[in-house]
Structures are given as structure tokens and as C-alpha cells.
Amino acid sequence: EPEVTQTPSHQVTQMGQEVILRCVPISNHLYFYWYRQILGQKVEFLVSFYNNEISEKSEIFDDQFSVERPDGSNFTLKIRSTKLEDSAMYFCASIGTKANSGNTIYFGEGSWLTVV
Amino acid sequence: KNEVEQSPQNLTAQEGEFITINCSYSVGISALHWLQQHPGGGIVSLFMLSSGKKKHGRLIATINIQEKHSSLHITASHPRDSAVYICALYGGATNKLIFGTGTLLAVQP
């Protein structure tokens, strides 16, 4: 069974610090996503990435956030200056082809970020 | 107004009961996922539907595109089915999943 892996599983950081969350999507997948889930709330879309560029982003994904795929395998989410309200579970996901093509989406186990 | 509404929000069942979770949506879609999220947080896709019905073991998912409604059924429920079940959909022009709020299911022995 293919899997998406995320690191770290849990990170505690001081407010204002930079955080990088890492994801290794499934190797032959083409579309990559970051979602977040604040405790007790529903999962929210942050950003989608295709062909080495952002294809769509939500209003949550402001200038403090950035994504990149530096080496063709890792897919990273960077939060430049964390705020308390960034505390959430961050999920990476990938899919092999265009989302509505009939292929399933695979999620990582999540990275739990706590900003103090 | 939420684009995806699920009901019920919370559901407690006795082991062996037949369970139905409903999802209604207000936008045109290209596909709909039923996802399972366990207490540890990980999310697993159970089904992806664009029409009709799919079955996997004790799980059945149906979708009615005209009525903008989908259901997830669990037959012979078991405590290990306890989880949050989430309906999520792909809108017609977008490549992102829009998530419902989830249904917290607790199956008691």
C-alpha cells in the first residue's frame, strides 16, 4: 500500500519562529496538497501544487506561508513567523492524476504543530 | 452557508447496528470522497464516488447526483468502526477537496 509520510509528527515552537513541515508524497503522484485542521474543527484546504508551482491557494495561505518541492521528492510547507492561531494538525496529501479523474487521494498521518 | 453538510454530527450505536451517515452538498461536483479519521488523526479515503453505489466489506456508499446527496452505510457495526467519518467533495472547476464537518461515530460493545 503506497503511503505519504510526514515529519515531524509533532512540533512545539515559540511564537514568531519559522517552522518547516516536510512531506514525502507517493513517488509517481503529480498533485500535492496541504490541509490543516484546528483542534475540534473541520479540515481546511491551504494550497495545491502541480508542475512545480502553486495551482490554487486559500485565503488562509497568506504571505507567511510558502511551499516548495526542492528535490523532486520532498514537499515542504514553511510558516515564516508562527502565530498562536497556526496551532493545528497539518496534513499533506497527494494524488496521481487530476483530482476528478477517478484516482484516490492519499493523506499523510499529519504533523501536529503547537505554537506557544 | 456550508457547501457540504453532514448529519448527524454525533452518532452512538450498539455493536451490530446498521448505521447511516448522510451528506448533502450545494455545489456541482466532479467526485465525492468518504474519508475516515481515527483519534490519532490520520485520514484514510474509504470511497470515491461520481455516481451510483460502491461496496467494500461492510461499508456501502451511494450518491445521487441529481439530489446532491450521498450516504455512507455501515452494516453490522463494530467498536473498531468508531471514528470520524468525513464527506469531502471536488467541485467542478477546482482540484481541491472541500470538507464537511464530519460525523463522530461511537460504536459501543
Side-chain angles (χ1 to χ4, degrees):
Chain A
E1 177 74 13
E3 63 175 15
V4 175
T5 56
Q6 288 186 240
T7 54
S9 56
H10 189 192
Q11 182 164 350
V12 181
T13 191
Q14 295 269 340
M15 192 168 55
Q17 294 295 304
E18 176 182 282
V19 160
I20 297 176
L21 305 178
R22 291 183 168 79
C23 169
V24 180
I26 293 166
S27 61
N28 60 351
H29 279 190
L30 300 176
Y31 291 83
F32 313 110
Y33 305 84
W34 283 101
Y35 292 87
R36 80 170 186 192
Q37 186 176 32
I38 294 171
L39 187 63
Q41 298 185 21
K42 70 176 184 178
V43 178
E44 302 172 290
F45 169 76
L46 289 178
V47 66
S48 59
F49 193 85
Y50 170 71
N51 202 25
N52 286 321
E53 61 182 21
I54 290 173
S55 56
E56 192 172 356
K57 60 182 181 179
S58 73
E59 59 190 26
I60 302 167
F61 193 88
D62 61 20
D63 292 344
Q64 293 298 311
F65 291 88
S66 62
V67 290
E68 63 176 6
R69 195 157 184 250
D71 57 9
S73 61
N74 292 288
F75 178 50
T76 62
L77 174 69
K78 183 192 290 186
I79 309 175
R80 221 175 316 277
S81 177
T82 49
K83 304 187 284 287
L84 294 176
E85 54 264 39
D86 294 327
S87 296
M89 178 77 95
Y90 289 81
F91 291 102
C92 174
S94 73
I95 193 167
T97 57
K98 196 164 171 55
N100 59 359
S101 66
N103 285 355
T104 197
I105 187 167
Y106 291 86
F107 288 85
E109 288 292 308
S111 293
W112 182 247
L113 176 65
T114 302
V115 182
V116 297
Chain B
K1 184 184 184 303
N2 287 328
E3 293 165 299
V4 189
E5 299 276 359
Q6 282 186 240
S7 63
Q9 287 189 308
N10 295 282
L11 180 57
T12 301
Q14 293 296 315
E15 184 173 358
E17 283 185 11
F18 180 83
I19 288 162
T20 296
I21 300 170
N22 295 299
C23 174
S24 296
Y25 52 92
S26 57
V27 296
I29 68 165
S30 53
L32 181 147
H33 276 270
W34 280 102
L35 308 169
Q36 182 189 57
Q37 185 174 30
H38 276 283
I43 298 172
V44 175
S45 176
L46 299 173
F47 294 103
M48 194 186 76
L49 296 163
S50 53
S51 64
K53 176 179 174 178
K54 287 189 178 179
K55 184 176 190 293
H56 185 252
R58 295 180 293 106
L59 302 178
I60 303 166
T62 64
I63 188 168
N64 185 318
I65 297 292
Q66 288 74 30
E67 294 186 3
K68 292 187 166 60
H69 183 267
S70 177
S71 293
L72 176 69
H73 306 284
I74 305 175
T75 61
S77 59
H78 190 276
R80 66 175 174 265
D81 296 326
S82 299
V84 176
Y85 291 85
I86 304 169
C87 169
L89 50 94
Y90 287 113
T94 183
N95 211 36
K96 68 184 184 199
L97 275 176
I98 302 167
F99 283 73
T101 53
T103 294
L104 176 60
L105 172 65
V107 181
Q108 296 177 340

